[in-house]
């Protein structure tokens, strides 16, 4: 499957659904799309939905870390949702999972989002 993505907006949240294989060529395409989103839209949280992401390379990981760092500087949050086991394994190998917000499903994400909105000054 070739790589593609869809973008949606709701309540200051942008959701990017990744599909296929995120290798070097596709990672640069994603990077350009994210830069465009940052210029054109005001949002607080970016969700990368990885339910249909089959493969990720080091370049794909690099883009995700670059985006996380940039969003952090802007006081915005990056969340990864529905990470597939083979993709999760890559993040584990490079020791990135403890530094990223990864959620198993929408219910776990909604619970987290509810908590931070209910008590924004409280650390989660």
């Amino acid at each position: 499957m070739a790589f593609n993505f869809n973008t949606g907006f709701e309540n200051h949240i942008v959701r990017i659904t990744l599909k296929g294989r995120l290798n070097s060529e596709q990672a640069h395409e994603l990077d350009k799309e994210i830069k465009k989103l940052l210029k054109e839209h005001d949002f607080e949280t970016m969700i990368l939905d990885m339910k249909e992401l089959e493969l990720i390379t080091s370049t794909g990981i690099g883009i995700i870390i670059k985006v996380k760092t940039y969003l952090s500087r802007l006081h915005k949050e990056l969340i990864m949702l529905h990470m597939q086991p083979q993709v999760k394994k890559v993040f584990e190998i490079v020791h990135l999972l403890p530094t990223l917000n990864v959620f198993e499903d929408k219910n776990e994400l909604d619970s987290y989002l509810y908590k931070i909105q209910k008590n924004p000054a409280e650390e989660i």
Side-chain angles (χ1 to χ4, degrees):
M1 176 190 286
F3 174 77
N4 65 55
F5 55 89
N6 297 318
T7 305
F9 296 91
E10 184 179 334
N11 298 329
H12 297 285
I13 296 174
V14 60
R15 177 189 292 255
I16 301 173
T17 303
L18 305 174
K19 298 178 183 180
R21 299 169 175 255
L22 185 55
N23 60 27
S24 49
E25 183 179 321
Q26 290 83 7
H28 294 297
E29 180 184 334
L30 178 62
D31 186 39
K32 284 195 284 187
E33 178 65 18
I34 290 172
K35 286 177 183 174
K36 180 180 170 187
L37 290 171
L38 287 164
K39 281 183 178 180
E40 296 176 0
H41 299 280
D42 182 30
F43 59 88
E44 296 170 11
T45 303
M46 176 179 286
I47 297 173
L48 294 180
D49 190 333
M50 300 180 157
K51 188 174 189 173
E52 297 181 53
L53 186 64
E54 299 170 358
L55 176 141
I56 190 166
T57 65
S58 59
T59 306
I61 290 173
I63 295 299
I64 289 172
I65 298 308
K66 176 181 162 185
V67 167
K68 176 170 177 33
T69 302
Y70 187 71
L71 291 176
S72 292
R73 279 190 250 144
L74 297 173
H75 305 287
K76 298 177 187 292
E77 188 166 18
L78 176 67
I79 292 173
M80 294 188 291
L81 183 63
H82 299 128
M83 190 179 284
Q84 296 301 303
Q86 69 275 17
V87 173
K88 188 173 185 176
K89 184 67 176 173
V90 172
F91 280 89
E92 288 171 350
I93 289 169
V94 294
H95 304 287
L96 288 173
L97 277 184
T99 65
L100 299 170
N101 292 325
V102 179
F103 298 91
E104 292 296 322
D105 57 32
K106 188 175 183 320
N107 290 335
E108 186 180 7
L109 170 60
D110 286 345
S111 176
Y112 171 79
L113 293 175
Y114 174 75
K115 285 178 187 176
I116 63 173
Q117 292 175 68
K118 184 177 177 187
N119 299 312
E122 187 177 305
E123 283 191 36
I124 304 291

